[in-house]
């Protein structure tokens, strides 16, 4: 059985093999520029954001400040990195979709079902990313609001971690599914049916995003890993949940 960690390991080796590595350098450059600009901005504003949050803590909870402060720090850090990730993937989506198609063709010997030209694929990928944002942002806003509710905000860090894993699974596993004409709604249904492979894959990818600089090299491997996960866990699920006949 192909697990999430094996898929990511194999995927990273794949994208830097001859024939595929030329497709990863431009996404890596995009990520580098966005992360550098974002890090510069955050370092200049992080202290002010944290002071603003702490100023909103009601006086009757002052005795819990020793616990609330580190929870605010963790929540804010999670939100910042989560936002960085959304921005970088919005920009890099056309390149990642194209990379996923190349990996699928190399590994399976067949082109994706919805094979498109580079320009059309790029435009469609941007549209798909906007659909994803429409799904993610309201839920992200809800978590943000919960982070301001006294006592309830103690649950904010684990909720952000779980949500990040789910979003990373949606973000990466959507590349091969979009290439094979699986709708966004149907993609989410397939991910929910195989919730354990989905969350473990998303959790490992989330961890990769937290490794400074190394994530520039590892995230393209997550794209290839998503193709391997698609082939093993999701391709042969029918639209109503029934298993399809194995492909020959």
């Amino acid at each position: 059985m192909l697990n999430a960690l094996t898929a990511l390991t194999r995927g990273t080796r794949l994208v830097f093999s001859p024939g595929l590595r030329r497709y990863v350098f431009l996404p890596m450059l995009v990520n580098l520029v966005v992360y550098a600009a974002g890090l510069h901005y955050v370092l200049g504003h992080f202290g002010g954001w944290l002071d603003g949050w702490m100023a909103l803590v009601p006086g009757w909870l002052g005795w819990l400040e020793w616990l609330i402060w580190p929870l605010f720090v963790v929540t804010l850090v999670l939100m910042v990195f989560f936002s960085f990730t959304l921005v970088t993937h919005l920009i890099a989506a056309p390149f990642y979709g194209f990379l996923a198609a190349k990996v699928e063709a190399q590994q399976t010997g067949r082109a994706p079902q919805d094979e498109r030209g580079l320009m059309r694929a790029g435009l469609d990928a941007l549209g798909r990313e906007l659909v994803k944002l429409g799904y993610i942002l309201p839920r992200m806003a809800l978590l943000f609001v919960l982070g301001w509710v006294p006592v309830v905000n103690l649950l904010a860090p684990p909720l952000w971690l779980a949500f990040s894993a789910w979003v990373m699974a949606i973000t990466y596993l959507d590349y091969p599914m979009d290439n094979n004409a699986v709708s966004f709604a149907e993609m989410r249904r397939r991910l929910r049916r195989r919730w354990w492979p989905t969350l473990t894959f998303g959790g490992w990818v989330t961890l990769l995003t937290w490794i400074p600089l190394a994530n520039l090299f590892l995230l393209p491997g997550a794209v290839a890993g998503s193709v391997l996960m698609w082939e093993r866990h999701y391709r042969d699920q029918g639209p109503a949940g029934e298993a399809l006949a194995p492909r020959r």
Side-chain angles (χ1 to χ4, degrees):
M1 164 112 22
L2 179 76
N3 61 37
L5 182 57
T6 302
L8 288 169
T9 303
R10 287 177 53 189
T12 301
R13 290 199 300 264
L14 277 174
V15 294
F16 290 103
S17 64
L20 286 175
R21 58 189 172 205
R22 64 178 179 269
Y23 299 112
V24 307
F25 293 118
L26 191 53
M28 285 168 53
L29 179 61
V30 169
N31 284 338
L32 179 61
V33 171
V34 172
Y35 271 99
L39 187 61
H40 175 74
Y41 179 79
V42 168
L43 289 178
H45 294 79
F46 190 87
W49 293 337
L50 188 58
D51 290 342
W53 272 27
M54 291 303 299
L56 294 174
V57 175
W60 61 273
L61 283 178
W63 64 279
L64 272 179
E65 186 171 335
W66 64 273
L67 177 61
I68 294 174
W69 186 87
L71 286 174
F72 274 177
V73 171
V74 172
T75 301
L76 188 55
V77 169
L78 287 171
M79 289 173 56
V80 166
F81 274 86
F82 189 79
S83 300
F84 279 5
T85 301
L86 288 180
V87 172
T88 56
H89 285 96
L90 179 63
I91 297 172
F95 309 108
Y96 281 160
F98 188 63
L99 174 61
K102 293 298 180 182
V103 171
E104 183 172 347
Q106 185 195 79
Q107 291 299 296
T108 66
R110 61 176 179 268
Q113 292 181 23
D114 191 11
E115 189 175 19
R116 295 161 287 186
L118 179 59
M119 182 64 70
R120 174 65 185 275
L123 292 174
D124 289 350
L126 286 175
R128 186 87 162 201
E129 288 300 308
L130 293 176
V131 171
K132 283 189 245 183
L133 286 177
Y135 172 83
I136 293 168
L137 290 179
R139 291 158 177 82
M140 183 177 174
L142 177 60
L143 282 178
F144 178 78
V145 171
L146 290 177
W148 293 83
V149 179
V151 182
V152 177
N153 57 18
L154 299 179
L155 297 175
L159 288 175
W160 273 105
L161 287 172
F163 183 62
S164 296
W166 174 247
V167 168
M168 287 299 98
I170 285 178
T171 298
Y172 281 87
L173 291 166
D174 187 50
Y175 293 129
M177 294 205 196
D178 184 30
N179 287 340
N180 285 276
V182 176
S183 71
F184 184 68
E186 172 60 19
M187 182 267 297
R188 298 199 317 274
R189 283 192 289 268
R190 295 191 188 200
L191 297 189
R192 286 195 297 267
R193 292 185 204 119
R194 305 301 307 275
W195 64 271
W196 179 248
T198 297
L199 287 181
T200 53
F201 181 79
W204 280 111
V205 175
T206 300
L207 181 61
L208 294 182
T209 66
W210 282 76
I211 304 176
L213 297 181
N215 56 15
L216 301 177
F217 302 92
L218 297 175
L219 291 180
V223 176
S226 72
V227 176
L228 302 178
M229 292 289 288
W230 152 254
E231 286 291 326
R232 177 62 185 85
H233 295 286
Y234 307 101
R235 176 185 283 277
D236 292 327
Q237 291 184 31
E242 72 275 8
L244 299 177
R247 295 174 179 269
R248 299 185 183 277

